Amino acid sequence: MSTETFEFQVEARQLLQLMIHSVYSNKDVFLRELVSNASDALDKLRLAALRDDTLDADVSDLHVEIEIDKEARTLTVRDNGIGMSYDEVGQLIGTIANSGTAKFLQELREAQEAGGAEGLIGQFGVGFYAGFMVADEVTLVTRRAGESQGTRWTSRGEGTYTLERVDDAPQGTAVTLHLKPADPENQLHDYTSVWKIKEIVKRYSDFITWPIRLVPESGEGDTASEPETLNSMKALWARSREEVSDDEYHELYKHIGHDWREPLETIRLQAEGTFEYQALLFVPSHAPHDLFTQGFKRGVQLYVKRVFIMDDCEALLPPYLRFVKGVVDAQDLSLNVSREILQQDRHIRMIQRRLTKKVLSSVKDMMASAPDRYSTFWREFGAVLKEGLVTDAENRDALLAVSSFPTTHGDDEPTTLKSYVERMKDGQDDIYYLTGESRQSIENSPHMEAFRAKGIEVLLLTDAVDEVWVDAVGEYEGKKLRSVAKGEIDLGAEGDAKADGEREKQTEEFAGLLGWMKEHLGEDIKDVRLSSRLTVSPACVVSDAHDLTPALENMYRAMGQEVPPTKRILELNPDHLLVKGLNQAYKEREDRTRLADTAELLHGLAVLAEGGQPKEPARFVKLVAERLERTL
């Protein structure tokens, strides 16, 4: 058979160099990754055989084998699972088809100093490459179940690899590591040592549901002639809480979540009765880099009567809980269930409702008993959890109960809506909020001036989803959620005759200017009126009470929806010297051209103050320059 030589993809070559030349705090993870890959291959074959009666594959004794050859210094991890075709080997091993590769390489470099780099390997789905941490050369021999010809892949990790078709390959995949020379001063990393292999498997892979067998070296005698099974094969979710240690739970999470850190929360659930199932869920301690990308793989693993059915079963949890990892083992589902059937299955819908409520109640318990861990949870996953406020009306109250938001009250700690309502001032009927790109931009917004002056608390909402959920929710405990940048705001004491009289006097005094400015700026604004929300700035732009905000308009357009532009309202601060001077100039019938320029400048400044851009930036700059020139 002819042998072909190929070059690695650029990112794969960079990754290999990091593996080969970097120093890792724990090289043992290479075996965990190879065993996990083998376990996945067995799961896939079992499922394929269930779905296809004609598949020519032996499923009578599915297992993982580990074989040591001390003399040749090789370590082989072998499975009789689904295997790979010639083309699949080139695609899956020769390249890293992962949109997060560049970020992975960056994080890997940054994590080296922290001693956690090895854990990132599994997180990004490139565990096979971990073998190069301990091997000078790696050989892979594989044959896909149902095919007659196999494939051999070989590389020293130096930029190229070879592919060769072989006729005598057994079903499944065998990865042989040609180990680096032994280090006599460091026996802890002697991977030809039986005790070392046993230790690694027990620590990382005891929960694997397939037998992991250590094949004895030839010549060891009759007493060691039979392979030794190294793992207990007990599903952790089927064992009582007292039987399982936190470390075992954490290793299961790392296996199924491809993460190197410990989970933030472990959630167990056992449902009995007419429909039985067990669930073991994990809340990660950090958000994955691609959580908000379209291709993010969400969902938990689905088993039926301990038989693996599918990874990333989306039907078991709503999209806003897509960060949750774990296992669900049901008793009464068909082993041949498909994703399409799952979407319609009433039992699956029952499981989803129960799991959703369980996760939210666990977060609520965390909020009460472990505020530090809740703070981490909300920092990492608050933005995605708030999506449920829009999409899941059934659990909206539960979601609001575990949500918290930055606020102008006190320190930088976020607040719950319940706490906000408890602090509301006498006579305050609404919950006020303002959305924006950052906390700093919101706090500096002119819309905040009167609220700051009167000490009225405002929620500071900076996530993109905040633009949507506030409208979907509408109110909390009878208190309306109200944007400080929409509609008319009057924070004066209700029934204050003096204040009412002052407002009427100002409205009459500025009536001519307001009418003229509305006519002059009519193409860009809906109305011009006096403001009660400004104390320092001369002007601001606001949306009408039921209009879309500019951010929401942009969001819809980004999703491909046609949204007609909405005209905003220009509000003027009648107590500001600039506005007073403009009104005086208007009454004295000064040059209307200069007045028009000043009106445009005032509108442009208001747009800039909220982070927008004047309609004609070049003209705005020219007007500013001319006005500055006159003052010199």
Side-chain angles (χ1 to χ4, degrees), residues 305-316:
K305 299 173 184 174
R306 311 287 172 80
V307 176
F308 173 79
I309 300 299
M310 68 178 67
D311 265 323
D312 310 314
C313 183
E314 297 181 356
L316 290 171

Side-chain angles (χ1 to χ4, degrees), residues 369-380:
S369 61
D372 288 343
R373 283 195 296 133
Y374 167 77
S375 180
T376 298
F377 168 82
W378 190 255
R379 182 180 66 250
E380 297 292 328

Side-chain angles (χ1 to χ4, degrees), residues 458-474:
V458 178
L459 303 178
L460 311 174
L461 308 181
T462 57
D463 293 321
V465 69
D466 292 329
E467 295 282 352
V468 184
W469 77 259
V470 286
D471 286 332
V473 173

Side-chain angles (χ1 to χ4, degrees), residues 168-446:
D168 57 349
Q171 170 189 300
T173 301
V175 179
T176 299
L177 307 178
H178 301 266
L179 298 169
K180 294 178 179 181
D183 182 358
E185 296 182 2
N186 189 357
Q187 295 300 311
L188 291 177
H189 291 311
D190 180 8
Y191 300 111
T192 63
S193 169
V194 170
W195 73 265
K196 181 63 176 178
I197 298 304
K198 288 183 177 180
E199 179 202 38
I200 296 173
V201 171
K202 185 66 178 176
R203 187 189 336 148
Y204 292 123
S205 307
D206 192 54
F207 50 82
I208 297 291
T209 54
W210 305 106
I212 303 171
R213 298 168 183 164
L214 181 62
V215 179
E217 283 195 274
S218 58
E220 289 189 1
D222 293 338
T223 58
S225 59
E226 292 295 321
E228 179 184 358
T229 299
L230 304 181
N231 60 321
S232 68
M233 294 178 289
K234 292 182 179 179
L236 297 190
W237 56 90
R239 295 156 62 181
S240 69
R241 181 66 182 88
E242 292 73 23
E243 292 182 282
V244 186
S245 68
D246 287 341
D247 287 342
E248 289 178 295
Y249 280 135
H250 295 168
E251 286 306 325
L252 175 62
Y253 164 71
K254 292 173 184 177
H255 170 67
I256 62 180
H258 300 295
D259 194 359
W260 62 277
R261 300 165 196 164
E262 295 182 353
L264 190 66
E265 189 78 3
T266 301
I267 303 170
R268 287 181 59 106
L269 179 64
Q270 182 162 337
E272 299 177 345
T274 56
F275 180 62
E276 297 184 359
Y277 62 90
Q278 296 163 316
L280 182 57
L281 305 179
F282 301 97
V283 176
S285 59
H286 65 107
H289 70 283
D290 54 349
L291 182 61
F292 291 97
T293 61
Q294 191 171 3
F296 179 73
K297 289 185 178 180
R298 66 179 180 87
V300 299
Q301 293 183 349
L302 174 64
Y303 284 72
V304 175
K305 299 173 184 174
R306 311 287 172 80
V307 176
F308 173 79
I309 300 299
M310 68 178 67
D311 265 323
D312 310 314
C313 183
E314 297 181 356
L316 290 171
L317 284 171
Y320 65 86
L321 293 179
R322 57 184 177 271
F323 53 87
V324 174
K325 301 296 182 183
V327 172
V328 172
D329 189 354
Q331 302 302 309
D332 301 316
L333 290 175
S334 166
L335 289 175
N336 202 30
V337 69
S338 67
R339 291 185 184 274
E340 291 73 23
I341 294 174
L342 280 174
Q343 293 171 358
Q344 306 300 324
D345 191 281
R346 68 182 184 88
H347 286 147
I348 291 294
R349 292 199 296 272
M350 287 169 53
I351 294 176
Q352 187 196 86
R353 284 198 292 270
R354 182 78 184 277
L355 293 183
T356 300
K357 292 183 184 300
K358 182 65 175 178
V359 172
L360 294 180
S361 68
S362 297
V363 174
K364 188 175 182 179
D365 291 342
M366 189 196 308
M367 195 178 195
S369 61
D372 288 343
R373 283 195 296 133
Y374 167 77
S375 180
T376 298
F377 168 82
W378 190 255
R379 182 180 66 250
E380 297 292 328
F381 303 109
V384 66
L385 201 75
K386 284 186 287 189
E387 293 175 9
L389 294 172
V390 182
T391 60
D392 189 357
E394 179 182 348
N395 291 297
R396 186 170 288 165
D397 289 343
L399 283 162
L400 284 173
V402 299
S403 297
S404 55
F405 314 95
T407 173
T408 55
H409 173 78
D411 52 26
D412 291 337
E413 288 299 312
T415 188
T416 62
L417 292 182
K418 183 175 184 294
S419 297
Y420 180 102
V421 170
E422 291 173 351
R423 290 192 297 266
M424 284 174 59
K425 290 183 174 292
D426 292 340
Q428 182 181 341
D429 297 322
D430 302 322
I431 298 172
Y432 292 107
Y433 70 89
L434 184 58
T435 58
E437 293 184 356
S438 68
R439 178 174 183 138
Q440 183 178 12
S441 66
I442 295 176
E443 289 182 326
N444 291 329
S445 169

